[in-house]
Amino acid sequence: MAHALPAPCTSVTRHKGGGALAWRRQAAAGTCASGVLAGHELEPLKTAAPIFLHRFHSRCTMTPLTELSRPEGGDIAKMNLLNMDAENRVVLNVGGIRHETYKATLKKIPATRLSRLTEALANYDPVLNEYFFDRHPGVFAQVLNYYRTGKLHYPTDVCGPLFEEELEFWGLDANQVEPCCWMTYTQHRDTQETLAVLDRLDLDTEKPSDEEVARKFGFEEDYYNGTVSWWQQLKPQMWSLFDEPYSSNAAKIIGVISVFFICVSIISFCLKTHPDMRVPVIRNYTVTTANQTQSWALDKVQTNAHIAFFYIECVCNAWFTLEILVRFISSPNKCEFVKSSVNIIDYIATMSFYIDLILQKYASHVENADILEFFSIIRIMRLFKLTRHSSGLKILIQTFRASAKELTLLVFFLVLGIVIFASLVYYAERIQTNPHNDFNSIPLGLWWALVTMTTVGYGDMAPKTYVGMFVGALCALAGVLTIALPVPVIVSNFAMYYSHTQARAKLPKKRRRVINVEPTRPPLRAPGVPGAPAGPLAPGMGPQAVNRRMNAIKTNHPKDMMGPNMGNNHQSPIYCNTRPAATQIQLNTALRA
């Protein structure tokens, strides 16, 4: 068919009926229904907007209505049904992917974003007749499926926080995820808890900025005002020097010195108990012999540690005292510093040395004064101070904290098994004649059951009868199973913390910042017309809106072929099947220009 406009006069009229847009070309002499538009008046239109007219002609198919057969009544009813079906559908463009569904489907879940769609929204595109959302298209596929089926599934290729953010945007509850996807979905929550724990452990070796240091030590206002005093500058340096071993080279040297004194103190504490490292105390006393003569004798009363260990302890504790005082004075939070478990051990261990000195000087004559030395064993606990210098020890301690429930369950089943098997073996050994019975009471059996269930087996006690041996075998098997069950949980916790620590260490320290910029719509200028005035042509249209995704509009749709006067099409000599909304806007643009 020809694509040229018929002469002498051509008018383009737009009819709305039942939501369908029907476009008709009416040829008549003189004046048209929509206004006078003679043939010579088309010349400025072609000159001003040749692109619009070219697209109008190229997308129109001119067919004389005399060649079209009049629709039958059944065909009209079918097309009316198609028209109603098209009116009940809605197009959603999410992240560049178009989804089409029924409006009734979106009403299934009220009080959500999709249930309140109207054409007055800013994201409605009247050109394409669709709603545009710049959101994740993969998650929206599951969201739309939730509206259709009532079941919300979790996509495995999406991170959990992103899925929660998308559900919050669409107004859905994340707790409605199906049970089959719940375990996979909640894994990110465990990961977030693990990362939060690692943040509290302070495993990062990155040097903080001056602003972060000022916020940590509470002089942020002075930092912004530029009135930071010398003490405020010195205090963070002292803290990082003695409490953050990886903050600088000087801090590493201080850390090495601290570890050295800890190791020397513990080695000295252990070696001074060795017999070859002790000096005997000789007492000279007078005795009366059988001849009634007096004589003197030497006797070894006790042994004391060598004097060298005393000087070693003095030097080590002098360093520990200096370290505690400096860290306390320069700490950003005194209350948290005092309540720290490692610091409490350090206080007690250091104080035990000074208490021991006082007792040796003023209470050495007191009987059983050596018992007071038992409290000096707290110095061994200084080993926990090494956690400040080793991330592995921090992870190990945190693993036991995270596995507290499993360890409690292990102890409970061990105690239960010990009591049961101690009672069984006591009565089993008394059934038969057993002159060498080692189980004279149930409390003695408790010790045997503990040693057997933990697979130690000292051999100091053993059943002698067949029934007792059978009970012993059951006790050993039960102990292996009881201890083996919670061990994988503890191992998995340690592997989880360790893997996350290694991953955090490999992450880049600095990342590019993302700036939130609101989308804007610049004024539209008529393409191809230089110096044309700027101004919006239609709601929701931007630059080059007339060219935007025209292939997304369906051609030959039933809505485009129907109008309110379907049966009166014989009145027009030409019928045009085209894309109505875009074409009308194009012609309006050209006419304004």
Side-chain angles (χ1 to χ4, degrees), residues 22 94 246 250 291 424 474:
V94 181
Y246 299 99
N291 299 328
L424 289 177
L474 293 179

Side-chain angles (χ1 to χ4, degrees), residues 421-488:
F421 287 108
S423 303
L424 289 177
V425 76
Y426 171 74
Y427 290 103
E429 287 294 289
R430 295 170 66 89
I431 293 177
Q432 298 180 1
T433 304
N434 185 11
H436 304 287
N437 186 10
D438 295 329
F439 302 91
N440 296 322
S441 64
I442 292 181
L444 291 177
L446 294 176
W447 165 253
W448 169 84
L450 174 63
V451 172
T452 304
M453 292 193 70
T454 55
T455 67
V456 177
Y458 290 117
D460 54 341
M461 300 175 63
K464 304 296 190 301
T465 62
Y466 293 108
V467 179
M469 293 178 183
F470 179 74
V471 172
L474 293 179
C475 181
L477 292 175
V480 171
L481 295 177
T482 302
I483 295 176
L485 287 177
V487 169

